[in-house]
Amino acid sequence: MSTAGRTEQAATRRTTEETPTVQHPVAIRTAERLRTIREQWGALLAAVETPPAPSTWPPAETRAFLNTGAEDEGALLVEDRAPLTLRQHPAPANLDALDVALFVEQQVFDLADTLAAAVQHAGPDDVRRWTFPDPGAPDARTATGSRAHGLHWAAVYVEGRVLDEDTEPELLGDALLAAPFAPLPEWALHEAARVARACEQRVARIVAADAITGSRTLPTPCPSCGGALVIRAAPADPPTVTCRTGEACGADTGRDARGRRVWEWPACLPLLLTPGAPDAGTPRAA
């Protein structure tokens, strides 16, 4: 390639790098949902081995299954967990949690297959590549392809495609290589959004809300103003927590249409898992 040609390519790359990328709002929200699923996956797996909580709120078991294991066992390494469909585990204590985990795992795996078929151009040795299942492979791990790496890796892969990562040509030495992935078409983005929303909702119903519906006052007061906190949950949506103090509350979170401070999912999770102080009594209502 001539010097002029290389200069033109370099200028084009600089222009591309200097131009800020505007993410589609659907892509941003979908990526947030995928990160929430990854962050709460360990809690969901632990919930599979924990009996369902009683109808009282807050459920006594919630904090227990989030802290499963002795102190010397260390943190739960979710990334190292084999897929539920590939590993043996004892009889589940919570069938609802197991159903949700299997549903989420299968949905995200299938979504990764779909997106890879649509936009993937990465070579076979590229660590970013998603490998499809190969039922004819000689061993079970190879036969499952990238699914063998588990839910965590699948969600990271899907998030990268949703955010159009690695969609520019790459320079290797003096050679300009084709982009490992193409930008995600609109139909695929909306399919990813649909799957991520459905999976996040199901995870939220197990991890935080314990299948409650309607609204209830939490025993924990607002960390900012001491006002009453109300949790609201519906069958189709993750839970939210609202401070009843109103506009006078100075909590560092968003507001609803009435000016009240609101913690959306998953930001509300610490409030749901914080026990009320023994001498705190009932939170004061505004």
Side-chain angles (χ1 to χ4, degrees):
M1 181 182 293
S2 66
T3 301
R6 285 196 295 270
T7 302
E8 182 179 353
Q9 280 189 352
T12 300
R13 287 197 297 275
R14 284 197 301 272
T15 302
T16 301
E17 292 171 357
E18 293 170 0
T19 303
T21 301
V22 179
Q23 295 286 356
H24 195 292
V26 174
I28 295 173
R29 184 68 184 109
T30 301
E32 292 173 350
R33 295 185 191 278
L34 290 165
R35 284 192 288 271
T36 298
I37 292 168
R38 287 194 289 111
E39 291 167 358
Q40 303 305 325
W41 186 243
L44 180 60
L45 293 182
V48 173
E49 302 169 5
T50 304
S55 57
T56 58
W57 184 261
E61 285 84 354
T62 303
R63 284 183 294 277
F65 76 66
L66 287 176
N67 296 281
T68 298
E71 293 183 0
D72 60 352
E73 291 179 359
L76 176 65
L77 298 178
V78 180
E79 296 88 340
D80 296 336
R81 288 278 184 114
L84 291 169
T85 54
L86 297 184
R87 62 185 174 92
Q88 295 182 349
H89 45 74
N94 189 331
L95 289 175
D96 288 339
L98 178 62
D99 286 344
V100 168
L102 289 171
F103 171 85
V104 171
E105 195 174 70
Q106 188 64 48
Q107 289 290 306
V108 176
F109 285 165
D110 289 348
L111 177 60
D113 285 344
T114 298
L115 301 190
V119 302
Q120 180 168 270
H121 304 302
D125 297 328
D126 194 323
V127 295
R128 297 166 293 185
R129 179 183 176 86
W130 178 264
T131 305
F132 298 101
D134 179 11
D139 61 273
R141 188 173 183 86
T142 305
T144 57
S146 291
R147 298 183 180 212
H149 300 308
L151 182 282
H152 195 274
W153 160 236
V156 169
Y157 177 86
V158 171
E159 182 181 334
R161 307 293 70 75
V162 166
L163 296 178
D164 283 338
E165 295 177 356
D166 303 316
T167 56
E168 297 291 337
E170 299 178 345
L171 193 62
L172 180 63
D174 292 332
L176 190 64
L177 306 181
F181 302 98
L184 203 63
E186 186 172 354
W187 68 265
L189 173 59
H190 286 282
E191 174 64 10
R194 181 191 67 80
V195 171
R197 176 180 173 81
C199 291
E200 183 198 39
Q201 289 173 347
R202 297 205 181 198
V203 171
R205 301 305 299 166
I206 296 295
V207 172
D210 288 283
I212 68 167
T213 57
S215 62
R216 302 180 192 174
T217 301
L218 295 177
T220 307
C222 174
S224 177
C225 68
L229 295 178
V230 177
I231 178 174
R232 291 179 172 84
D237 295 301
T240 62
V241 172
T242 303
C243 177
R244 294 178 58 188
T245 298
E247 296 183 359
C249 178
D252 185 17
T253 187
R255 296 184 184 271
D256 63 9
R258 297 171 58 184
R260 299 173 301 184
R261 295 294 184 178
V262 177
W263 289 263
E264 303 285 348
W265 172 266
C268 66
L269 190 56
L271 297 174
L272 302 181
L273 303 181
T274 301
D279 57 350
T282 304
R284 64 174 179 84

